Amino acid sequence: MIQMGTYLNVIDNSGAKDICCIKVSKGYRRRYAVIGDVITASIKNIRKNKKLTTKVQKGDVVKALVVRTRSANVSKLNEHLIFNENGAVLITKQNKLIGTRVFGVIPKKLKYTKFLRITSLSSGIVK
């Protein structure tokens, strides 16, 4: 579960390294975000080798899609899906990807949402 103040790793090639959650979107007084939710985040660190060619800068406020969480994501078939890190992918206000590649695996749950492009760019799908 991602809440306000949580740090997440960025798993695309947009140039950002770490982001911090500012607000969880969707809903009135919603506290937690899970896999597949959109959050508003601030960029805390950028990658050293991408400083000149990055698409975002440190301190920018962007939207991000949560694709990995450390807390268990329980499906209807009682399957638990746990990752080692909290991860997100940066998106624009029109829900398009900022980066062109997605590193690592992502859950199958995102295949059935409006973010199908993210699953096609990733290296693999889990459960």
Side-chain angles (χ1 to χ4, degrees):
M1 291 185 287
I2 307 299
Q3 63 183 351
M4 205 167 90
T6 304
Y7 273 70
L8 296 96
N9 295 332
V10 178
I11 60 166
D12 62 3
N13 66 341
S14 60
K17 186 176 181 182
D18 295 327
I19 58 173
C20 180
C21 178
I22 295 175
K23 183 169 181 2
V24 177
S25 301
K26 251 172 57 176
Y28 175 68
R29 289 191 183 180
R30 188 158 177 215
R31 288 189 183 175
Y32 305 112
V34 293
I35 293 175
D37 288 342
V38 177
I39 61 171
T40 304
S42 172
I43 297 175
K44 294 299 182 182
N45 294 322
I46 59 172
R47 301 194 187 277
K48 288 187 178 183
N49 58 353
K50 296 267 187 182
K51 280 193 178 180
L52 298 176
T53 61
T54 185
K55 297 174 184 172
V56 291
Q57 299 297 322
K58 182 177 178 180
D60 287 352
V61 176
V62 293
K63 286 174 64 176
L65 175 72
V66 177
V67 293
R68 297 179 189 162
T69 58
R70 291 194 66 170
S71 63
N73 186 17
V74 183
S75 68
K76 291 181 181 178
L77 300 173
N78 205 15
E79 296 173 337
H80 297 273
L81 183 60
I82 302 172
F83 291 98
N84 291 333
E85 63 179 8
N86 293 324
V89 175
L90 299 184
I91 57 176
T92 61
K93 292 186 179 182
Q94 292 81 25
N95 294 329
K96 307 276 185 197
L97 280 172
I98 291 178
T100 56
R101 294 170 56 195
V102 177
F103 304 116
V105 296
I106 58 171
K108 189 176 182 180
K109 178 180 178 181
L110 292 177
K111 193 174 181 180
Y112 306 109
T113 62
K114 62 183 175 183
F115 301 106
L116 179 64
R117 176 123 173 102
I118 294 172
T119 57
S120 64
L121 290 176
S122 69
S123 60
I125 297 174
V126 178
K127 282 191 193 180

